[in-house]
Amino acid sequence: MPAPAATYERVVYKNPSEHCYMKVCLEFQDCGVGLIAAQFKRLLISAVKDLFGEVDAALPLDILHYEEKTLSAISRICSSGLVKLWSSLTLLGSYKGKKCAFQVIQVSPFLLALSGNSRELVLD
Amino acid sequence: MALLPSSLWDRVRSCPKSQDPWIPPQKTLGTRYTHLYLLCELVSDDSRCRLSLDDRVLSSLVRDTISRVHGTFGAAACSIGFAVRYLNAYTGIVLLRCRKEFYQLVWSALPFITYLENKGHRYPCFFNTLHVGGTIRTCQKFLIQYNRRQLLILLQNCTDEGEREAIQKSVTRSCLLEEEEESSEEAAEAME
C-alpha cells in the first residue's frame, strides 16, 4: 500500500521580537574618564539626537547592565531603532571634548545570546 | 506575451513602497528625481505675522525645524530638493517643494513650527497642510477650489454690510470664472 502523500507546511520566521539587545563598550583615547550609568545613557541618547533628531532620540532605550570600570553596557532598543542607534554610535566622536569611540561587541534579538560570546572563548 | 523583457517586468512589478520614511522606495525606471509639492496655510492670531512672511525667512525656519526634529540626517536629506515655490503674504498660503523620497520627513516636521521670528519679534503661529500634489498645477487647481469654499464661509461669518457686499462681488466673479473655465475645457475636449 503506498504511503499517504506527505503534507508540507511552510513557516516563515521574520524576527518578530520587538527588542534588540546590544553589548557595547566605550573607549577613550586618554585614560581616567569615568561615567556613571545615567551619564552613559545620556551619551547614547545625545548621539541619536545629533544624527536623527528629537523624534528618534525619544525611542525607548534601556541600559540593562552597566560596568563602570570597563565602561561596557548591555542596552536594549526596539527593533526598528537598532539601525539608527548603531549608526549614531558609529558616528559619535567625543564626550565633553575628549575623544572616544564605541565598540559594539555583540548584537542579538535574544538576551540569552549575549551571555556567551564565542569570540572570547579561551581554549585550554 | 510581454512587451518588456521578463527581467525588466519583474523589476517593475516588485517596486516596493516602503512604510518607513527613512528608507526611500527603490527606483526602477527613469533617472530623474521626482518632487512633491506641499500646499500649506500659515494660521496665526496676529495679523502682522503673515505680512512679515518672506521666502528666505520661511525657508530658514523650515530647515531649522527639520534639523531639530530629524537631526543631521533629516536636514541633509530634505535640503537637497527643498524650495519655497509660492508665497502669498495676504492669505498666508505657502507652496513647498521637496524630494519624493523624503517628503514625509518635511511633512512631519511642519507641526513643530510654533513661531515666526522677524526683526526680533516673535509671532506665534502654526502651519496647516492643505494638499500634497505631484505638480504645481494640481496644487493650483486645489487652491482655487479651496479659495472659493473659503469665500463662501467668509460670506456666512461676516458682520459688516460693506464687507458683505465686497465678498458677494468676489463670489459672483469667481462663479463666472468657474463657468468660463468649464466651458473652455468642454470646447477643448469637443475639438479633439
Side-chain angles (χ1 to χ4, degrees):
Chain A
M1 205 162 85
T7 51
Y8 291 96
E9 190 184 282
R10 192 175 137 193
V11 174
V12 177
Y13 189 66
K14 266 195 196 171
N15 188 19
S17 68
E18 48 175 293
H19 297 291
C20 259
Y21 300 89
M22 251 173 110
K23 196 193 260 187
V24 291
C25 172
L26 180 59
E27 283 183 6
F28 279 93
Q29 202 181 40
D30 327 308
C31 314
V33 186
L35 278 105
I36 59 172
Q39 288 173 323
F40 193 85
K41 183 169 178 178
R42 189 167 192 278
L43 182 61
L44 289 189
I45 292 177
S46 70
V48 180
K49 191 167 171 178
D50 273 337
L51 188 57
F52 289 107
E54 288 182 0
V55 168
D56 288 312
L59 281 173
L61 165 73
D62 303 307
I63 307 276
L64 301 175
H65 181 72
Y66 180 67
E67 268 173 57
E68 201 169 322
K69 259 196 301 189
T70 52
L71 291 174
S72 67
I74 297 183
S75 69
R76 178 182 81 159
I77 190 150
C78 58
S79 300
S80 57
L82 175 68
V83 174
K84 293 174 194 164
L85 177 64
W86 201 339
S87 50
S88 46
L89 289 183
T90 308
L91 292 175
L92 184 73
S94 64
Y95 170 69
K96 284 191 182 167
K98 303 194 186 105
K99 287 199 183 167
C100 65
F102 269 97
Q103 269 206 346
V104 175
I105 301 171
Q106 239 181 325
V107 175
S108 166
F110 309 109
L111 187 53
L112 194 55
L114 296 184
S115 63
N117 190 2
S118 59
R119 288 184 189 177
E120 291 165 6
L121 255 184
V122 174
L123 297 171
D124 296 323
Chain B
M1 186 180 70
L3 295 167
L4 291 170
S6 56
S7 54
L8 203 58
W9 192 247
D10 282 330
R11 273 211 310 183
V12 166
R13 222 178 15 188
S14 65
C15 178
K17 271 213 155 119
S18 51
Q19 299 300 316
D20 190 356
W22 291 93
I23 306 171
Q26 289 156 347
K27 299 192 298 147
T28 48
L29 296 170
T31 50
R32 235 179 50 193
Y33 282 109
T34 42
H35 297 282
L36 274 180
Y37 292 87
L38 293 169
L39 188 69
C40 315
E41 181 186 7
L42 180 70
V43 177
S44 165
D45 281 335
D46 209 344
S47 55
R48 292 170 292 170
C49 177
R50 278 195 224 146
L51 294 171
S52 66
L53 250 188
D54 186 20
D55 64 332
R56 260 173 303 161
V57 162
L58 184 69
S59 166
S60 61
L61 176 68
V62 174
R63 268 178 233 250
D64 287 339
T65 311
I66 294 176
S67 157
R68 181 167 53 101
V69 173
H70 291 298
T72 339
F73 177 83
C78 301
S79 70
I80 299 178
F82 181 76
V84 176
R85 274 304 188 216
Y86 170 77
L87 185 62
N88 190 334
Y90 297 108
T91 54
I93 300 282
V94 173
L95 187 67
L96 305 169
R97 178 191 71 170
C98 56
R99 284 269 171 98
K100 200 172 183 180
E101 288 96 7
F102 299 109
Y103 82 99
Q104 286 157 326
L105 295 180
V106 178
W107 197 355
S108 57
L110 288 180
F112 288 88
I113 301 179
T114 48
Y115 62 86
L116 199 76
E117 186 144 359
N118 187 26
K119 291 176 208 157
H121 289 289
R122 245 181 217 200
Y123 307 107
C125 63
F126 68 91
F127 272 82
N128 238 355
T129 306
L130 304 172
H131 185 64
V132 177
T135 54
I136 299 186
R137 189 170 300 201
T138 54
C139 291
Q140 190 191 28
K141 276 194 206 162
F142 177 85
L143 188 59
I144 292 172
Q145 283 176 2
Y146 179 78
N147 282 341
R148 283 202 191 109
R149 269 181 274 147
Q150 289 298 99
L151 271 179
L152 293 173
I153 293 171
L154 272 178
L155 188 59
Q156 275 179 349
N157 296 347
C158 77
T159 48
D160 194 16
E161 263 308 311
E163 275 183 24
R164 193 181 283 268
E165 277 180 32
I167 295 179
Q168 264 178 342
K169 250 198 302 186
S170 326
V171 170
T172 41
R173 233 184 353 192
S174 71
C175 289
L176 286 171
L177 279 172
E178 186 178 359
E179 282 175 21
E180 263 180 42
E181 268 176 32
E182 283 182 16
S183 63
S184 69
E185 274 179 24
E186 282 173 19
E189 278 179 25
M191 269 174 25
E192 285 171 16

